Amino acid sequence: LDQLNSHGQLRVSVQAWLGEEKVSPHSNDAYITGCDHEVSSSVGSALGAAVKEMLQGRSSEGSFRFLVPLDEALTDLSLTFPAPGAEALPSEVALAPFGKFPPAGRTRIGSFRTCLTEVVLQNFAKALNVCLTVKKLRGDNAHHIVEA
């Protein structure tokens, strides 16, 4: 979400709660309690639902493709909106490995587990009812891959 606000200038925010406790941004709260996957799913779904609401009343059928460079990273992203009333095809996200160092890629960026990037994007696409295809074409830095 930080990157959508910074680079996309969308001005979005999400508040996550664990029971009665608000999850602090950039904290390890969700990871420590074992619910970071659930929080990531919810964030993706909330963002997809918000975009869907924003697009209501507009014709959004068709495909859109973006090549997203960020420093040394390059991501190929496509969105395919189904015909009205139809279900979107399954989405595909292929960003791993997240960087070259260590050789298997990074598993975390700060308190965020990189594998949850796919969870956020898959839930975003499902809530929006769009087929999302995201492929990393190149990238050495995990932070830049996720940003792109």
Side-chain angles (χ1 to χ4, degrees):
L1 290 179
D2 288 342
Q3 301 317 310
L4 288 174
N5 288 329
S6 176
H7 299 295
Q9 299 177 352
L10 291 183
R11 296 184 187 176
V12 296
S13 66
V14 172
Q15 291 183 356
W17 296 79
L18 295 172
E20 300 292 321
E21 299 275 330
K22 182 178 176 184
V23 177
S24 300
H26 309 291
S27 74
N28 282 321
D29 295 349
Y31 176 72
I32 291 168
T33 58
C35 68
D36 56 343
H37 187 280
E38 182 182 340
V39 170
S40 297
S41 296
S42 296
V43 166
S45 294
L47 186 58
V51 171
K52 185 175 187 173
E53 183 178 322
M54 183 180 74
L55 294 176
Q56 241 168 12
R58 294 186 175 101
S59 175
S60 56
E61 184 178 352
S63 294
F64 304 89
R65 185 172 181 209
F66 309 91
L67 288 171
V68 187
L70 187 74
D71 294 334
E72 87 298 340
L74 179 64
T75 302
D76 185 356
L77 183 141
S78 67
L79 291 167
T80 304
F81 289 86
E87 285 293 314
L89 295 172
S91 295
E92 178 187 342
V93 179
L95 294 173
F98 292 92
K100 290 186 174 181
F101 307 104
R106 286 180 57 189
T107 58
R108 297 177 71 81
I109 300 170
S111 62
F112 180 72
R113 291 192 299 147
T114 54
C115 64
L116 295 176
T117 305
E118 181 173 342
V119 172
V120 172
L121 295 173
Q122 291 280 4
N123 282 279
F124 167 80
K126 185 176 180 180
L128 183 55
N129 190 36
V130 65
C131 175
L132 173 68
T133 304
V134 183
K135 295 179 184 171
K136 177 183 72 173
L137 302 178
R138 68 172 187 255
D140 298 336
N141 181 304
H143 175 85
H144 297 157
I145 293 165
V146 172
E147 271 185 320

